[in-house]
Amino acid sequence: MATHPNIELANTVYDAFGNGDMETFFANITDDAVWHLGGNNPLSGTYSGKQEIMAVLGQITERSGGTFQIAEVHDILANDEHVVAMVRNTGERDGKVLDAPTIHISHVRDGKFTELFIVVADQASSDEFWS
């Protein structure tokens, strides 16, 4: 059975992120991409464009002392316009531990991610971790 091209795209992006290959990571995101980080913490908000996305990823790395990771990609579902990934995010910060089942809902255009909504299963716990 053939794999949908947007599943392959997602695998490329998640592998690049996991390996710290930010060149490949950003090559698969449109210049005008928008990320929506929900919740009520210092990182919550909407980030538009690669520069803002790069900046918030820098904040995530800094706040977690480089421990934040997508520890598991449980499954990826895709069609021609969307990707839904079930992942588990982990990290450590100031004696706190993050272990957060998370859903990434992405829009895709011309083989690149254009918009991402991050939905955490336990948003209150995630907010406490990042605050």
Side-chain angles (χ1 to χ4, degrees):
M1 182 165 156
T3 301
H4 194 283
N6 286 338
I7 290 177
E8 292 176 14
L9 169 66
N11 281 323
T12 297
V13 168
Y14 287 118
D15 287 346
F17 184 84
N19 293 322
D21 180 0
M22 300 317 281
E23 184 176 335
T24 299
F25 180 84
F26 280 105
N28 288 286
I29 297 173
T30 61
D31 291 339
D32 62 346
V34 178
W35 280 21
H36 306 276
L37 302 178
N40 186 19
N41 66 71
L43 302 177
S44 299
T46 298
Y47 300 89
S48 300
K50 287 183 179 180
Q51 292 301 317
E52 287 187 13
I53 293 168
M54 194 177 305
V56 75
L57 287 174
Q59 289 180 49
I60 288 168
T61 299
E62 182 180 322
R63 285 177 171 272
S64 71
T67 65
F68 177 84
Q69 64 179 328
I70 298 174
E72 175 186 8
V73 178
H74 179 71
D75 203 358
I76 300 171
L77 312 170
N79 63 24
D80 292 342
E81 297 177 358
H82 300 97
V83 172
V84 176
M86 296 170 271
V87 304
R88 192 173 119 253
N89 297 333
T90 61
E92 296 180 19
R93 178 172 185 264
D94 299 332
K96 300 181 263 188
V97 175
L98 177 70
D99 189 350
T102 304
I103 303 294
H104 293 168
I105 304 165
S106 303
H107 296 269
V108 178
R109 180 181 72 234
D110 299 326
K112 292 186 177 188
F113 286 113
T114 62
E115 190 167 21
L116 170 68
F117 295 85
I118 297 174
V119 182
V120 180
D122 183 352
Q123 188 63 60
S125 177
S126 182
D127 286 342
E128 195 276 326
F129 178 83
W130 293 112
S131 295

